Amino acid sequence: MARYVYFFGGGRADGHKDMKDILGGKGAGLAEMTNASLPVPPGFTISTVACNLYVERGGSLPQEVEKEIDIALERLESLMGKALGAPADPLLVSVRSGAKFSMPGMMDTILNLGLNDRSVEGLKAKTGNGRFAKDSYRRFIQMYGNVVLGLDKDHFEHELSAVKKKARAKADVDLNEAALDEVITRYKALVERETGKPFPQEPRAQLQGARDAVFKSWMNPRAVTYRKLNDIPHDLGTAVNVQTMVFGNMGDTSATGVGFTRNPSTGAKEFYGEFLQNAQGEDVVAGIRTPHPIADLERLMPEAYRQLREITTRLERHYKDVQDFEFTIQEGRLYMLQTRNGKRTGMAAVNIAVDLVEEGILAPREALMKVEPQALDQLLHPVFEPRARAAAKVVAKGLPASPGAASGAVVFTADDAVARARQGQRVLLVRMETVPDDIHGMSVAQGILTATGGMTSHAAVVGRQMGKPSVVGCGALEIDAKGRRLSVAGKLVREGDSLSIDGATGEVMLGLVPTSPSEVLQVVDGRLKPEQSALYRKFARLLAWTDDVRRLGIRANADIPRDAKIAFAFGARGIGLCRTEHMFFAEERLPHVVTMIRSAARGQRGLDLTRALRARLAEAQGGEARRLRAELKAAQAQYGPAMADYTGALKKLLPMQRADFSGLFREMKGHPVTIRTLDPPLHEFLPKREELIGDIARLSGMGTAEKKAVAKKYRLTVAQLKRGLPELLREVEELHEFNPMLGHRGCRLGITYPEITRMQARAIFEAALQVSRQGTPVKPEVMIPLVGHVEEFKRQKQIVLDVAHEVLGESGSGVEYLVGTMIEVPRGALTADEIAREAQFFSFGTNDLTQMGFGLSRDDAGKFLNHYIDHGLIDRDPFVTLDASGVGQLVEIGVQKGRAAKPELKIGVCGEHGGDPASIRFFHGAGLDYVSCSPYRVPIARLAAAQAQLERPSGD
Ligand code: ADP
Ligand code: MG
Ligand code: MG
């Protein structure tokens, strides 16, 4: 038989702690505490099932439910020996909403229900405390009036202050009985005036009104929105708890309070909380009077304090977690009104989880489930000093792209950032949006703030990769980069003025809000010893447990040795993606890169042509040979300069790349290092077309100083400007693409310009040989990007193998390497079997796979994607959390076809999703071997991978 109402009281409850779905969190907690013989005022819980019926039926309950409620109420009345609202000695109850998850927008609790003009006199007579009885009644009218009848709180506040003023009372508690009588009279008049009906006097009607208000609040817009945002299903429903009142407002031996069994912001093992004497319900948190720290309770009411400590300690052991509890003391007697697992900061979560293991309350595996992976991020970023933070003025809000606190002098260009940083200033880089050649400025800035762009914009991605606080898409900023100023919320901020950003909330604040650095990070980068940070040691301990559990390997996306070192210190064992091109932006390299690009087309053609001619020449004789020699000469004349530029630039880049790769190999101490050959469209490295056009147009009017500056920018001499700029423009225009993301990039570059792949392969193998000869084992993995057709892979692979032979010799010189590919073009996933026959590993590039699989341009999606999310078309940004049901299929197909063709195929992922807990859960389920993410997300990935295994164990 279906049942809708669950009783608790008299030492027994119908429900228990695992019934949150039906009883809500609050109801389940009350039942559990009752069963544990704790002092809980008796009552009953009307289940979430009833709520769903109420919503379905458009605002009524079936007869059988009403009947169950009547029976439960009668049972309560007989247990308490009083009838609800009875004139002489009334039973009074509270009506409390409680869903499985607490959420804003749900109905506030109503206290003292059952009071009316007659029962209030009964309560007075019974307790001999008129002030208390009247105070309870006026509170009831106020709460019921607001919550059930929908009257504005201010109306009531207004009447209350009028009476307080008249009685010269400072606080509510200073009002005597007569004054409270006047408050009641005014409140009732107010209700009648506003609703056209007298305040309901009938206790049963009051109860029904309150109950229905709870059910209705489930569908109110705020609650609905909150559920959408937090992925909470709408058919969960809320429960209603009807509970016998106990009173904290009966005088100074009575009190009400809230607390935590440990400090929820630091995790310290200390009793934490606040209470107020002679108060009720929400007074403690409402800020009406300043509450006392809970330690004071020991002095004021030692017995109740002792009992509270004992009970809450028991609760913590019972629930194996920090408890957030609510209690009331009525004339020295303690009652428990709520308990639940406490919310906590990332730092507290780590401290508590490890402490609970040390105290023998939790097993390590259980402790791993107590920390939200994402929360680990908080431990790695600077934090605002709390007081200063509270006082700061928030002027705008953008997207919280990369957490952490940052403050500094505002600069508007990457160069200015570097210049000021050189002088020792802390700067905040503010841009419309960032581009790859802002990297140098981004890396010296405390934080990054942009006016446009989404959670996966360049600033966001790079900010996260660098572990740099970033707020992006802050539309309220009006940036005038030329004028070096911005305006926001009517304030003008000039270069050098201070701003602060909170990358965890997206808030932008005026002025310099002081910050302090992350302890964990200081240990990881060697500024602090592990012995000096207890927090670090706990953090490391927790993460070490993940390694015993998880099946997924964790690698990092890192391009330079410093990042690799940090990643290793965070526990990454391998690099899943080294983007070689990121190293091309360095100041001493860019000129060679630009030369390489400008000469690539002609240079490569010349090389191909002269090589072919030479080959034919070697076999030719007589007239044929003479003709070929002439042709060769002509080709050399035509292409010679381009070939020289091309091969010259590659020669310059070779040792630089080799040095980068050696550094990575060394830092990874024998773990695999996956290096991707050149990937992005080439024009990213060249000057912007619009800028060039502008400079050409202005050239004739420029003075000498300006010409010098322009020449320097393009690395020309002043004399070369006139011819050089148009030539440069022509080349930039030649490289222009309408859709660069689907254009000449990825392996398509290596196929048309094989010399580049050859140089990169050489740099990789020479570095590998060098480092391995020095005694550090190496495992290079050469990765070909953007393969959509097996032939593309085959040809690039051949180049890599040829170079490997040249460098390592027949024997291989003891260097073990792999050649594999990224799967990031849908066609690549669909033909994964063909590709797997050739490749030794796959790495899913889920950024591009999402872009192409979903048909979403990452750089343009900001304009509509947020609308999609806001309007519930999709739940989440598919660039943040992998679109499991769509793009995820491409991953599954790739894995399945790839492994069918080659069972030992190693498969990983190197897109942004590699550091996202929900996506990691998916990759675990899909059977990948590893995920690769930015260095600072490695701890998150380790924990998420362990949780995925604990939730859904899978074999090795
Ligand atoms: P919330 O979900 O907002 O925490 P609660 O239902 O827990 O709301 O109620 C808020 C406060 O009201 C409780 O902390 C407690 O102080 C008071 N309260 C609720 N029910 C009772 C009761 N039966 N007796 C005394 N106080 C109560
Ligand atoms: Mg509560
Ligand atoms: Mg890609």
Side-chain angles (χ1 to χ4, degrees):
M1 191 194 81
R3 109 173 254 197
Y4 302 97
V5 181
Y6 294 77
F7 196 83
F8 55 90
R12 267 204 3 251
D14 298 337
H16 54 75
K17 76 174 188 331
D18 299 322
M19 291 175 67
K20 283 190 189 167
D21 283 326
I22 296 172
L23 303 180
K26 205 175 281 171
L30 291 168
E32 189 78 4
M33 288 196 290
T34 303
N35 281 329
S37 304
L38 301 185
V40 175
F44 54 89
T45 304
I46 307 170
S47 77
T48 57
V49 184
C51 173
N52 286 333
L53 284 175
Y54 183 89
V55 173
E56 261 166 46
R57 296 163 52 105
S60 73
L61 284 175
Q63 212 39 55
E64 45 175 331
V65 182
E66 295 282 8
K67 183 115 196 282
E68 270 193 52
I69 295 173
D70 287 344
I71 294 171
L73 181 60
E74 274 161 31
R75 187 168 159 198
L76 183 62
E77 290 177 331
S78 82
L79 180 69
M80 300 309 294
K82 307 175 183 197
L84 181 70
D89 181 11
L91 170 69
L92 302 180
V93 295
S94 63
V95 176
R96 319 170 66 188
S97 67
K100 182 173 183 181
F101 309 103
S102 70
M103 61 185 76
M106 292 303 297
M107 196 197 83
D108 286 340
T109 291
I110 294 177
L111 304 178
N112 313 329
L113 187 141
L115 282 175
N116 56 26
D117 294 351
R118 287 172 63 204
S119 62
V120 70
E121 295 303 331
L123 183 64
K124 172 180 172 177
K126 187 81 195 171
T127 59
N129 188 339
R131 207 212 83 86
F132 152 70
K134 303 300 165 70
D135 182 53
S136 302
Y137 191 25
R138 72 96 191 161
R139 284 171 186 270
F140 173 51
I141 302 173
Q142 193 170 336
M143 285 183 262
Y144 197 93
N146 171 242
V147 173
V148 181
L149 305 176
L151 304 184
D152 205 13
K153 276 186 185 158
D154 290 347
H155 290 325
F156 292 102
E157 269 318 310
H158 182 78
E159 301 294 342
L160 185 63
S161 7
V163 177
K164 263 161 62 179
K165 203 160 181 189
K166 221 164 93 185
R168 295 170 195 269
K170 269 211 259 127
D172 301 2
V173 273
D174 300 330
L175 293 174
N176 62 19
E177 184 181 349
L180 288 165
D181 273 331
E182 187 181 346
V183 175
I184 291 166
T185 310
R186 282 171 176 249
Y187 277 6
K188 286 198 305 184
L190 168 70
V191 169
E192 187 146 8
R193 198 164 63 234
E194 293 288 327
T195 66
K197 282 185 230 151
F199 184 77
Q201 293 287 315
E202 203 337 83
R204 291 286 183 119
Q206 292 173 349
L207 182 58
Q208 191 176 337
R211 175 198 77 194
D212 290 357
V214 174
F215 286 154
K216 281 184 198 134
S217 71
W218 178 252
M219 292 312 288
N220 86 24
R222 245 181 93 201
V224 172
T225 311
Y226 181 84
R227 291 198 293 271
K228 266 194 200 152
L229 289 176
N230 292 280
D231 281 337
I232 300 174
H234 295 303
D235 61 0
L236 224 52
T238 179
V240 179
N241 299 287
V242 177
Q243 188 176 23
T244 307
M245 281 302 301
V246 288
F247 300 98
N249 56 339
M250 287 185 79
D252 280 347
T253 56
S254 300
T256 178
V258 298
F260 286 83
T261 51
R262 297 172 196 237
N263 185 320
S265 69
T266 64
K269 192 174 180 186
E270 64 198 13
F271 205 49
Y272 182 96
E274 296 179 322
F275 72 99
L276 267 178
Q277 280 164 286
N278 198 12
Q280 200 177 40
E282 305 282 74
D283 290 3
V284 180
V285 281
I288 300 171
R289 281 183 280 153
T290 311
H292 304 286
I294 206 155
D296 292 359
L297 191 64
E298 185 164 19
R299 188 165 41 79
L300 291 169
M301 298 174 212
E303 181 47 29
Y305 178 81
R306 195 197 52 74
Q307 211 190 341
L308 183 65
R309 292 241 31 185
E310 188 206 278
I311 287 173
T312 54
T313 307
R314 251 175 79 194
L315 283 172
E316 191 184 83
R317 289 199 157 252
H318 183 72
Y319 281 98
K320 299 180 164 203
D321 205 345
V322 176
Q323 293 302 295
D324 165 358
F325 54 85
E326 298 172 9
F327 64 95
T328 283
I329 299 168
Q330 177 177 331
E331 301 191 301
R333 268 195 75 175
L334 174 72
Y335 294 92
M336 296 305 295
L337 290 169
Q338 191 170 343
T339 194
R340 61 184 155 192
N341 295 345
K343 294 221 162 41
R344 64 208 80 172
T345 64
M347 178 179 169
V350 170
N351 279 327
I352 290 167
V354 176
D355 286 351
L356 289 177
V357 172
E358 276 167 12
E359 291 165 31
I361 296 173
L362 288 182
R365 281 168 180 250
E366 294 172 306
L368 289 176
M369 298 307 289
K370 298 283 181 192
V371 182
E372 193 67 54
Q374 196 60 51
L376 293 178
D377 219 26
Q378 294 170 26
L379 275 71
L380 307 185
H381 297 284
V383 285
F384 284 120
E385 280 160 19
R387 257 167 228 273
R389 168 69 214 249
K393 181 168 164 53
V394 176
V395 285
K397 208 166 166 200
L399 300 172
S402 174
S407 52
V410 168
V411 287
F412 294 96
T413 68
D415 289 339
D416 290 340
V418 171
R420 278 182 187 254
R422 266 202 198 120
Q423 293 160 17
Q425 265 192 54
R426 298 162 65 86
V427 298
L428 192 76
L429 180 61
V430 183
R431 306 276 289 150
M432 278 307 285
E433 58 192 339
T434 60
V435 291
D437 42 32
D438 286 336
I439 294 278
H440 57 305
M442 297 170 80
S443 70
V444 298
Q446 303 299 313
I448 297 150
L449 172 62
T450 69
T452 61
M455 291 293 280
T456 50
S457 62
H458 181 265
V461 173
V462 176
R464 284 195 292 274
Q465 187 170 8
M466 293 183 175
K468 229 161 252 196
S470 311
V471 172
V472 301
C474 184
L477 302 179
E478 284 174 41
I479 301 179
D480 171 9
K482 282 235 168 62
R484 308 205 151 168
R485 58 190 186 179
L486 65 86
S487 67
V488 58
K491 297 258 189 272
L492 190 68
V493 177
R494 293 177 197 281
E495 181 182 290
D497 293 351
S498 299
L499 277 185
S500 301
I501 57 168
D502 185 336
T505 63
E507 285 168 314
V508 180
M509 287 151 283
L510 285 184
L512 206 73
V513 183
T515 60
S516 40
S518 143
E519 255 181 45
V520 169
L521 206 56
Q522 291 186 63
V523 175
V524 164
D525 60 22
R527 283 174 287 167
L528 209 65
K529 293 209 166 53
E531 306 83 83
Q532 289 169 296
S533 170
L535 178 61
Y536 172 81
R537 292 198 306 275
K538 290 201 176 142
F539 173 82
R541 185 126 189 251
L542 182 85
L543 287 175
W545 293 331
T546 69
D547 303 340
D548 302 335
V549 171
R550 66 189 159 81
R551 187 189 59 75
L552 278 174
I554 308 293
R555 298 191 188 183
N557 300 344
D559 312 325
I560 53 174
R562 194 185 59 221
D563 287 355
K565 186 174 181 157
I566 289 178
F568 192 89
F570 275 135
R573 292 297 173 259
I575 289 178
L577 174 63
C578 162
R579 300 172 170 96
T580 48
E581 62 272 13
H582 277 186
M583 286 124 49
F584 284 174
F585 284 100
E587 207 173 337
E588 72 281 8
R589 300 182 184 190
L590 196 57
H592 304 302
V593 175
V594 171
T595 308
M596 174 186 86
I597 293 167
R598 293 180 64 179
S599 58
R602 290 171 58 78
Q604 188 69 52
R605 197 170 327 134
L607 284 180
D608 294 344
L609 191 58
T610 50
R611 273 184 200 145
L613 288 170
R614 276 204 194 93
R616 282 166 61 195
L617 194 57
E619 322 237 296
Q621 285 169 353
E624 164 81 349
R626 226 168 300 130
R627 202 175 49 77
L628 285 172
R629 245 189 305 274
E631 257 183 64
L632 184 60
K633 210 167 164 199
Q636 260 155 351
Q638 189 182 357
Y639 294 109
M643 285 192 287
D645 281 354
Y646 186 46
T647 50
L650 289 169
K651 232 179 238 145
K652 287 268 196 254
L653 290 170
L654 174 69
M656 297 175 180
Q657 293 239 288
R658 192 170 53 214
D660 293 334
F661 301 149
S662 310
L664 293 180
F665 291 140
R666 272 190 208 103
E667 295 298 350
M668 273 302 137
K669 308 183 188 1
H671 295 280
V673 174
T674 308
I675 298 171
R676 177 177 73 181
T677 53
L678 194 62
D679 179 57
L682 293 181
H683 63 71
E684 277 189 11
F685 300 97
L686 294 182
K688 303 275 157 301
R689 181 172 170 270
E690 291 67 31
E691 208 174 320
L692 259 170
I693 292 176
D695 286 337
I696 292 173
R698 292 188 301 109
L699 189 63
S700 55
M702 283 183 194
T704 326
E706 202 181 347
K707 274 190 183 159
K708 265 193 187 151
V710 171
K712 185 164 172 234
K713 183 164 80 180
Y714 296 113
R715 298 171 211 279
L716 296 169
T717 62
V718 173
Q720 288 172 328
L721 279 179
K722 202 156 169 236
R723 289 189 53 203
L725 287 190
E727 198 177 313
L728 189 54
L729 177 61
R730 194 173 45 72
E731 282 163 9
V732 167
E733 280 178 338
E734 260 170 29
L735 286 175
H736 173 78
E737 292 181 302
F738 290 101
N739 203 338
M741 280 300 147
L742 299 178
H744 193 187
R745 58 172 287 227
C747 64
R748 301 159 194 178
L749 290 170
I751 285 173
T752 46
Y753 306 140
E755 232 51 47
I756 299 181
T757 304
R758 204 163 283 144
M759 179 275 285
Q760 294 201 296
R762 178 168 290 277
I764 294 169
F765 292 118
E766 288 181 356
L769 190 60
Q770 186 185 26
V771 173
S772 99
R773 285 202 172 133
Q774 287 161 356
T776 306
V778 290
K779 275 200 194 136
E781 300 184 349
V782 184
M783 180 160 78
I784 309 300
L786 217 75
V787 166
H789 195 291
V790 64
E791 271 315 308
E792 292 173 317
F793 180 72
K794 261 167 106 172
R795 288 169 199 221
Q796 286 287 287
K797 181 176 94 172
Q798 197 51 54
I799 295 176
V800 174
L801 294 180
D802 289 347
V803 175
H805 275 143
E806 279 167 45
V807 177
L808 305 175
E810 276 306 314
S811 69
S813 305
V815 174
E816 273 175 52
Y817 64 90
L818 302 178
V819 188
T821 182
M822 285 183 79
I823 299 290
E824 53 184 338
V825 174
R827 194 181 186 284
L830 299 175
T831 58
D833 45 352
E834 293 171 26
I835 299 174
R837 282 185 206 111
E838 298 292 330
Q840 290 171 292
F841 67 88
F842 282 177
S843 177
F844 286 97
T846 50
N847 298 346
D848 269 309
L849 198 59
T850 298
Q851 191 156 241
M852 294 184 227
F854 214 131
L856 279 176
S857 159
R858 187 151 65 128
D859 305 296
D860 303 307
K863 290 186 190 129
F864 51 88
L865 210 53
N866 290 339
H867 181 96
Y868 274 35
I869 295 166
D870 290 348
H871 292 75
L873 272 84
I874 54 173
D875 293 338
R876 298 178 203 196
D877 183 337
F879 290 110
V880 176
T881 296
L882 188 83
D883 161 40
S885 60
V887 178
Q889 285 192 50
L890 291 169
V891 173
E892 285 163 345
I893 291 170
V895 171
Q896 182 220 320
K897 288 197 160 186
R899 290 240 170 90
K902 182 177 278 178
E904 73 278 16
L905 189 73
K906 189 149 85 164
I907 307 181
V909 59
C910 64
E912 281 286 297
H913 300 102
D916 170 64
S919 310
I920 290 172
R921 212 174 296 139
F922 175 84
F923 297 134
H924 169 84
L928 265 53
D929 297 308
Y930 69 87
V931 297
S932 186
C933 58
S934 74
Y936 296 92
R937 294 192 75 83
V938 165
I940 297 174
R942 286 167 79 189
L943 181 53
Q947 292 187 351
Q949 171 71 16
L950 290 170
E951 280 164 16
R952 215 175 124 192
S954 71
D956 290 26

